[in-house]
Amino acid sequence: MNEDPQANLSGARRGYADAPAENVSAAASPRAPLAEPDAEELVVNPWDIVLCTSGTLISCENAVVVLVILHNPSLRAPMFLLIASLAVADLLAGAGLVFHFVFAYLLRSEATTLASVGLVVTSFCASVCSLLAITVDRYLSLYYALTYHSERTVTLTYVMLALLWAASLCLGLLPVLGWNCLRDEATCSVVRPLTKHHAAVLSVSFLCTFALMLQLYVQICKVVTRHAHQIALQRHLLAPSHYVTTRRGVSTLALVLGTFAACWMPFTLYSLIADSTYPSIYTYATLLPATYNSVINPVIYAFRNQEIQKALCLVCCGSIPASLSQRARSPSDV
């Protein structure tokens, strides 16, 4: 099992220690051509190409969301600020995957490796924290509907944004500031150069975030169901209206949490139980779905939003379709 090259975020080989013995001895010989070890090191892992491609798609998709929100001054409500934060985090995550690929195969050095890994950790942490902040915002918008649009809510949104980006930056800077396994391979996690303790902190933080999101969305569904029941009673349409709205609310809950768990849970659990001796293919197989969460986030949180749909139509087509402008917001749009 130890023979499998340990994966870093790019999967590039770590150096001569991973090369076959004959290549090492040839490199030590003054008669051996110097290009042979380099050629061995620069063999591109197909998994890294997939990650780089995913990073490019993530960057392009989330750049559209950021540009649409920046282009429309009307999209400045707390909800859109949080969606913009999520899009920026995912955009940086995609850029980090691309940068890490370039640095690993073209501009290899400890400094560039640590910087790119720090960017990836920071951006993915900010993405997960932004998802939690969006959940909190949706919870507050239902429980405090009468005061939700007050100045206090805007201030709370800026505080949440500052805290989540500060926490994410701190977690991302840890490898750069010295908490890495470059000097002690035995402390490496399944993702080099993150240490096992660092990976454990990130994994436990994710599990706590998921548990909190689950609790908040259960409460949101209860409020939506109660509101739909009250509206149905007033309109004497209890049977069809109430159950349709409830079903939509549960479907939205399943979509949000199911996607989040399906993307991140495999890598989170694997990071907790595995170590650097495990084959790197398992790391790639669990890390790749985690990156797909940044591909799906714009679809769930941005492109499904009616106001962003209108803004996107204005940017792309110059007009808003009548079917979109006349559609009313449903209580199940949580």
Side-chain angles (χ1 to χ4, degrees):
M1 183 177 294
N2 292 330
E3 295 178 359
D4 190 278
Q6 179 189 351
N8 54 24
L9 280 179
S10 68
R13 295 178 184 264
R14 297 193 298 273
Y16 296 114
D18 293 321
E22 58 269 21
N23 287 341
V24 175
S25 60
S29 173
R31 299 179 181 179
L34 297 177
E36 289 184 5
D38 293 335
E40 175 68 23
E41 290 185 14
L42 291 177
V43 174
V44 179
N45 190 324
W47 285 94
D48 296 330
I49 298 177
V50 176
L51 283 176
C52 184
T53 304
S54 299
T56 304
L57 175 61
I58 291 169
S59 300
C60 296
E61 188 180 15
N62 286 279
V64 173
V65 178
V66 174
L67 291 176
V68 167
I69 294 178
L70 291 177
H71 185 265
N72 291 269
S74 59
L75 302 180
R76 295 295 182 270
M79 173 179 59
F80 298 113
L81 293 177
L82 295 174
I83 292 177
S85 172
L86 175 63
V88 170
D90 288 334
L91 172 62
L92 292 177
L97 292 175
V98 176
F99 290 155
H100 200 82
F101 180 87
V102 173
F103 292 152
Y105 289 103
L106 300 179
L107 303 172
R108 300 188 62 186
S109 69
E110 282 191 6
T112 56
T113 298
L114 293 175
S116 58
V117 170
L119 175 60
V120 171
V121 172
T122 298
S123 53
F124 276 124
C125 288
S127 177
V128 173
C129 290
S130 295
L131 292 176
L132 176 60
I134 290 174
T135 307
V136 172
D137 178 73
R138 290 178 171 182
Y139 176 83
L140 295 176
S141 68
L142 289 173
Y143 263 84
Y144 304 99
L146 296 179
T147 59
Y148 173 73
H149 296 286
S150 65
E151 193 68 29
R152 184 175 60 182
T153 303
V154 178
T155 302
L156 177 62
T157 301
Y158 283 114
V159 171
M160 285 196 299
L161 289 174
L163 290 177
L164 75 87
W165 279 99
S168 301
L169 186 61
C170 289
L171 290 173
L173 283 176
L174 290 178
V176 181
L177 296 178
W179 200 16
N180 58 67
C181 63
L182 293 179
R183 299 291 181 268
D184 187 3
E185 297 291 334
T187 63
C188 281
S189 68
V190 294
V191 177
R192 189 180 183 271
L194 300 184
T195 65
K196 288 183 285 190
H197 295 302
H198 192 182
V201 169
L202 295 176
S203 299
V204 172
S205 300
F206 166 82
L207 293 176
C208 294
T209 300
F210 178 75
L212 184 55
M213 288 179 61
L214 177 61
Q215 178 63 25
L216 288 173
Y217 267 113
V218 168
Q219 296 300 320
I220 288 173
C221 276
K222 289 181 179 179
V223 175
V224 170
T225 302
R226 185 169 63 249
H227 288 179
H229 180 74
Q230 294 171 350
I231 294 174
L233 286 177
Q234 293 175 357
R235 297 179 179 178
H236 306 288
L237 296 173
L238 177 59
S241 174
H242 174 64
Y243 291 114
V244 167
T245 302
T246 301
R247 186 175 66 250
R248 289 178 178 174
V250 173
S251 298
T252 302
L253 171 65
L255 175 64
V256 171
L257 292 180
T259 300
F260 186 56
C263 290
W264 278 105
M265 198 64 73
F267 180 71
T268 300
L269 297 179
Y270 180 70
S271 298
L272 286 175
I273 63 176
D275 55 38
S276 59
T277 63
Y278 281 59
S280 61
I281 188 173
Y282 297 153
T283 301
Y284 285 113
T286 54
L287 179 61
L288 190 60
T291 66
Y292 288 160
N293 187 239
S294 296
V295 178
I296 301 173
N297 282 339
V299 178
I300 296 178
Y301 294 94
F303 298 139
R304 291 176 71 245
N305 183 277
Q306 186 172 337
E307 298 303 319
I308 293 181
Q309 289 178 5
K310 293 178 180 178
L312 189 59
C313 288
L314 282 175
V315 173
C316 298
C317 307
S319 62
I320 301 176
S323 58
L324 182 60
S325 61
Q326 296 174 359
R327 191 175 67 188
R329 181 177 174 84
S330 168
S332 64
D333 294 334
V334 297

